Amino acid sequence: MTAGCDSYAWSELFDQIFSATPWPMLMLGEDGTVLGASDEGHKWLRPCNSWGDTPLRERAAHYVSVLRGSTSWLTPQEAESVRTLPSGASAHERIHVRRTAWGACLTIVDQTDVRRLQTMDIQSARLAALGFMVAGVCHEVTNPLTSLHSIVQILQSEKHVDKELLDKGLSNIAINVKRLLDVSRRLVKFSRVDDEPRVRFAVDDAIEEALSVLHQSGSLREVELSHKLDPTATVFGNTGQICEIFLNLFVNAVQAMGGKGRLNIATRSAGQMLEVLVSDTGPGVRADAIVRIFEPFFTTKAGTHGTGLGLAISTEIAHEHGGTLELRQTSPHGASFCVTLPKERL
Ligand code: ADP
């Protein structure tokens, strides 16, 4: 599909050269007017084509909005587009704009099937990861269930349960049930690859969203916060999941500091990758825990405060996005975790 060309001669030439190509090709003027179309391209102009999609003429405005810059046709670039089809399904397309001597060439590559296969791959990888976790899951679930069983037995064996014993038993039951629910909710959430489309977004927006959850819960009331932004830091992926990585890291940092201290977040570019460094002024990771913190179900938090799934799930999400999560540094003065994610190509 070409743009930036307005002469009749060009459109005739286009018809002669491209009319018989097997691909849908269109030549557009700068205002989006269709100047020429290949035979396949003509199908795309009809109000209802064989793909059940909206005609290309109406889609031109959407593609322009996805592109960057006021003269987006004139800037060589690549972008991702996610459109909702009349059927309600999502169409994922990759858009390439190339400058030519006579205008600009806009190529739209339909990647809907590729994305669907990627989602299926991620789903299989997650189920495999859960498979590896099964032994841990059984262990995690068995402990609270054993506690529940013995509490119920004690209460049943007493003829007259006094108030103190009853209160103790009930609070023990509540703790164990909460733990079971926490583990099961996190695993159910992790096992599902939700169909939130992968999009291009500023990584700092995901950080701010995670921070707003903590602000709302009041956890940052006594935390001094510093967030060094990098507005050029864009990634391609699932916003909700990337936000979950940051939420896990921030919750861990705040809990490590006992709700009081300094939380530093810095986004910066590192070659092809983006780095987000999350540092706190807590007591650092316990020396005997350093090698185990990324293991599913490993937690040093007492009671119902930890499931030991935060870092394991966050690592899995980072890997799915082509990135990493690591402990960069730890000392008695604090811990720093680093998330790397591939930069979205401009
Ligand atoms: P959970 O928070 O449920 O324990 P995680 O997988 O998120 O599970 O963390 C595992 C363990 O890693 C924590 O229990 C804690 O010992 C350690 N950890 C994580 N973040 C920090 C931090 N910022 N400072 C000190 N220790 C940490």
Side-chain angles (χ1 to χ4, degrees):
M1 186 158 97
T2 61
C5 181
D6 53 4
S7 88
Y8 176 73
W10 275 112
S11 81
E12 226 181 24
L13 188 65
F14 179 91
D15 280 347
Q16 281 169 16
I17 300 174
F18 295 117
S19 60
T21 59
W23 308 288
M25 292 187 76
L26 296 175
M27 183 166 69
L28 301 182
E30 298 228 8
D31 58 354
T33 341
V34 179
L35 301 174
S38 66
D39 291 347
E40 274 300 304
H42 275 295
K43 288 187 196 161
W44 288 55
L45 293 172
R46 287 183 208 134
C48 195
N49 55 42
S50 54
W51 295 270
D53 203 345
T54 42
L56 193 54
R57 200 188 295 274
E58 285 165 31
R59 271 185 268 153
H62 165 79
Y63 293 134
V64 173
S65 74
V66 171
L67 298 171
R68 275 154 281 184
S70 53
T71 51
S72 50
W73 291 113
L74 305 178
T75 322
Q77 57 180 295
E78 288 185 26
E80 289 292 329
S81 146
V82 183
R83 288 185 301 114
T84 307
L85 299 174
S87 64
S90 298
H92 296 261
E93 291 156 322
R94 184 122 199 136
I95 302 174
H96 305 255
V97 179
R98 295 276 173 272
R99 288 290 295 149
T100 67
W102 34 269
C105 176
L106 173 72
T107 319
I108 299 163
V109 183
D110 185 350
Q111 297 194 314
T112 310
D113 282 347
V114 176
R115 290 264 180 264
R116 195 170 43 79
L117 290 173
Q118 278 173 348
T119 307
M120 281 164 63
D121 277 354
I122 294 172
Q123 183 84 56
S124 318
R126 284 218 176 156
L127 291 177
L130 280 172
F132 282 118
M133 289 185 192
V134 162
V137 174
C138 293
H139 177 76
E140 281 309 300
V141 170
T142 305
N143 284 348
L145 283 178
T146 311
S147 291
L148 285 171
H149 184 62
S150 34
I151 297 160
V152 171
Q153 273 188 331
I154 292 169
L155 293 178
Q156 275 178 335
S157 66
E158 296 286 321
K159 279 215 173 71
H160 300 290
V161 181
D162 67 43
K163 174 123 176 41
E164 196 185 338
L165 184 64
L166 185 64
D167 286 350
K168 211 167 148 200
L170 286 177
S171 91
N172 231 314
I173 289 174
I175 289 172
N176 283 298
V177 168
K178 180 171 181 301
R179 177 149 187 84
L180 286 170
L181 280 175
D182 283 350
V183 169
S184 118
R185 281 198 193 115
R186 294 208 77 156
L187 288 176
V188 167
K189 197 168 168 216
F190 178 58
S191 66
R192 283 196 201 127
V193 177
D194 54 31
D195 42 17
E196 186 192 328
R198 291 188 159 217
V199 291
R200 190 181 66 221
F201 61 95
V203 76
D204 287 325
D205 289 348
I207 293 173
E208 287 301 325
E209 201 177 315
L211 285 174
S212 77
V213 174
L214 289 190
H215 273 299
Q216 276 165 25
S217 66
S219 320
L220 296 178
R221 226 174 280 132
E222 293 183 80
V223 172
E224 203 185 320
L225 188 66
S226 138
H227 181 189
K228 278 198 196 122
L229 305 166
D230 179 352
T232 64
T234 37
V235 291
F236 181 74
N238 184 308
T239 331
Q241 289 178 4
I242 299 291
C243 181
E244 186 172 346
I245 298 181
F246 295 123
L247 193 56
N248 286 329
L249 293 181
F250 301 161
V251 168
N252 280 346
V254 172
Q255 285 182 341
M257 299 189 291
K260 212 172 185 173
R262 191 173 165 78
L263 175 62
N264 289 319
I265 307 158
T267 308
R268 66 171 185 219
S269 171
Q272 301 290 305
M273 307 295 276
L274 298 175
E275 280 189 357
V276 180
L277 206 62
V278 179
S279 319
D280 61 65
T281 54
V285 179
R286 260 174 38 183
D288 61 336
I290 293 177
V291 291
R292 300 199 55 198
I293 55 173
F294 293 98
E295 276 176 26
F297 301 112
F298 176 81
T299 183
T300 56
K301 294 173 190 169
T304 58
H305 292 293
T307 55
L309 286 172
L311 293 177
I313 287 177
S314 300
T315 305
E316 196 64 34
I317 296 173
H319 287 174
E320 280 168 17
H321 284 79
T324 57
L325 169 61
E326 59 178 31
L327 173 65
R328 241 326 136 78
Q329 188 266 329
T330 179
S331 77
H333 308 293
S336 297
F337 285 84
C338 183
V339 183
T340 63
L341 291 167
K343 272 185 201 162
E344 163 67 351
R345 278 177 297 160
L346 293 174

